[in-house]
Amino acid sequence: MFDKKTVLTGVKPTGTPHLGNYLGAIMPAIEMGNKAENHYMFIADYHAINAEKDPLVLKQKIKEVACTYLALGLNPNHSVFYRQSDIPEILEITTILYAYTPKGFMNKAHAYKACVDKNREAGKPDDDGINMGLYTYPTLMAADILSFDTDIVPVGKDQVQHVEIARDIAGAINAHYGKDLLHLPEYYLKENVEIVPGVDGRKMSKSYGNIIPLFDDDKTIKKAVFSVVTDSRPMDEPKDPESVMVYEIYKAIATPEQLKEMADGLREGRLGYGHVKNMLLDAIINEIKEPREKYNYYMAHYEEVEAMLQEGAAKARPVAQQTLKRLKDAVFGK
Ligand code: ADP
Ligand code: TRP
């Protein structure tokens, strides 16, 4: 479904990734990008400043996310890989889109609404701590998408609404000027992505502090894996694999044969928690061995990554420039 299509993926620089991010977001994004005829992949750094105000922290997060994607197999010769802030045309396009963005869209956008709800729960004024960057971010996201004549935006459920907003804004502009100035994007919902559980059994998430990190050293990863919750059943007691959290996490990463081996061993009372934790650890370390080396390499040779991002921006910019020209010609008259 992605051949002959332009696919665009945006990632927020949120810092060091965990196993859940890798299996739930990064791997599918890279795979989809590889299948697309054109793939734009960018780091949404202007989105990030709404929340992250420390330049050093932000810089580090951008560095980590860039190295992560490259380490995990993003191919910069196929995917146009760039930083949003290196394409200033996106911001000019955003300004034009503002004139066609009903304020009501922003009121209804869920990221803003979630903040309002939180404020209400805490008994604070609705807009406490909410900046205009957060409030208007669906318009910037629309410009990210529309600047590159995107056909498909792969998203999780939470981002569907934003792609629809982009479509609506583009439709309004096209209708007003009576021509197809902007290409209408579609979202592609990544429905079959499994949620990877964390060491405490809840969804693995930075905010729960239950993660298995991806690129830390073996010792740190081992510590995380050995902290996965278990009960006090003895080793030789036959267990339903589904009742063992280590098995639930293993599902996300093991081959069918490996999974069967663990399931049989648990059912037959042959494998205890120590055994299955070691199996999980081996599978994780095997999976990340090479990417981790690459990650460490890129982190230590960031100038190479910077050069790739510059090259990506040099490819992306002319496309956004053309879109901007089309829009300006229509808006201001030729
Ligand atoms: P976190 O919950 O750790 O803050 P983010 O919200 O930054 O993670 O998620 C970044 C991406 O990783 C999102 O696309 C999200 O769907 C995916 N993701 C995060 N946690 C998991 C998980 N436990 N299982 C599968 N995918 C996940
Ligand atoms: N809003 C997206 C998120 O929170 C990131 C993003 C910004 C994006 N611009 C985009 C995603 C354009 C896809 C297309 O994850």
Side-chain angles (χ1 to χ4, degrees), residues 32-64:
M32 274 181 253
N34 286 340
K35 284 188 207 142
E37 172 151 315
N38 302 306
H39 183 219
Y40 291 93
M41 164 101 224
F42 73 97
I43 302 172
D45 53 353
Y46 266 124
H47 288 276
I49 63 172
N50 297 331
E52 184 52 73
K53 305 294 200 252
D54 182 330
L56 289 180
V57 175
L58 189 57
K59 209 175 186 165
Q60 182 66 14
K61 285 183 174 174
I62 292 168
K63 187 173 167 182
E64 285 172 3

Side-chain angles (χ1 to χ4, degrees), residues 12 14 18-26 156 158 190 193-198 202-207 211:
K12 282 187 303 188
T14 49
H18 54 70
L19 195 66
N21 298 141
Y22 167 51
L23 298 167
I26 303 172
D158 62 326
K190 301 177 282 180
V193 173
E194 294 284 331
I195 295 292
V196 182
R202 292 185 292 173
K203 171 187 182 275
M204 189 180 292
S205 172
K206 281 188 296 291
S207 40
I211 66 160

Side-chain angles (χ1 to χ4, degrees), residues 153-165:
V153 188
V155 287
K157 268 200 204 83
D158 62 326
Q159 298 296 318
V160 166
Q161 184 195 28
H162 300 139
V163 182
E164 285 175 335
I165 290 176

Side-chain angles (χ1 to χ4, degrees), residues 98-110:
Y98 279 145
Y100 291 86
T101 307
K103 176 168 172 280
F105 279 12
M106 305 291 108
N107 294 338
K108 280 190 240 143
H110 81 86

Side-chain angles (χ1 to χ4, degrees), residues 15 27 93 100 131 156 175 208 243:
M27 198 166 71
I93 292 171
Y100 291 86
N131 57 51
Y208 295 151
S243 70

Side-chain angles (χ1 to χ4, degrees), residues 115-306:
C115 291
V116 171
D117 289 347
K118 238 192 211 162
N119 280 337
R120 286 188 186 160
E121 265 169 39
K124 293 181 183 164
D126 277 7
D127 283 337
D128 194 71
I130 298 178
N131 57 51
M132 285 303 285
L134 171 71
Y135 184 57
T136 60
Y137 110 77
T139 310
L140 176 57
M141 179 160 163
D144 292 332
I145 297 168
L146 299 173
S147 295
F148 298 99
D149 298 332
T150 304
D151 294 309
I152 298 176
V153 188
V155 287
K157 268 200 204 83
D158 62 326
Q159 298 296 318
V160 166
Q161 184 195 28
H162 300 139
V163 182
E164 285 175 335
I165 290 176
R167 244 185 112 82
D168 285 348
I169 297 173
I173 291 180
N174 289 349
H176 181 80
Y177 296 102
K179 50 184 156 187
D180 289 338
L181 291 172
L182 295 169
H183 187 72
L184 299 192
E186 278 173 40
Y187 64 81
Y188 171 76
L189 191 58
K190 301 177 282 180
E191 260 170 323
N192 49 0
V193 173
E194 294 284 331
I195 295 292
V196 182
V199 298
D200 60 358
R202 292 185 292 173
K203 171 187 182 275
M204 189 180 292
S205 172
K206 281 188 296 291
S207 40
Y208 295 151
N210 63 356
I211 66 160
I212 298 176
L214 208 53
F215 293 138
D216 267 308
D217 54 34
D218 287 2
K219 212 173 127 205
T220 313
I221 295 174
K222 182 170 181 184
K223 200 167 155 225
V225 168
F226 274 76
S227 71
V228 174
V229 281
T230 47
D231 51 31
S232 55
R233 285 180 289 177
M235 177 187 138
D236 55 1
E237 184 179 325
K239 300 175 194 72
D240 173 6
E242 302 294 333
S243 70
V244 176
M245 190 46 62
V246 178
Y247 179 78
E248 292 301 309
I249 302 175
Y250 200 55
K251 271 185 190 168
I253 196 157
T255 62
E257 295 77 37
Q258 287 175 321
L259 202 59
K260 185 171 180 304
E261 197 188 323
M262 189 183 284
D264 290 349
L266 285 166
R267 271 193 213 102
E268 292 158 16
R270 269 190 294 109
L271 293 175
Y273 292 132
H275 296 119
V276 291
K277 283 181 174 176
N278 271 314
M279 288 165 84
L280 175 61
L281 181 65
D282 286 349
I284 294 174
I285 291 195
N286 186 40
E287 176 88 9
I288 63 161
K289 201 171 176 306
E290 222 184 280
R292 187 172 55 186
E293 274 166 23
K294 278 197 189 164
Y295 179 80
N296 290 334
Y297 175 86
Y298 284 129
M299 288 296 281
H301 299 83
Y302 193 59
E303 66 291 346
E304 290 181 25
V305 178
E306 186 59 44

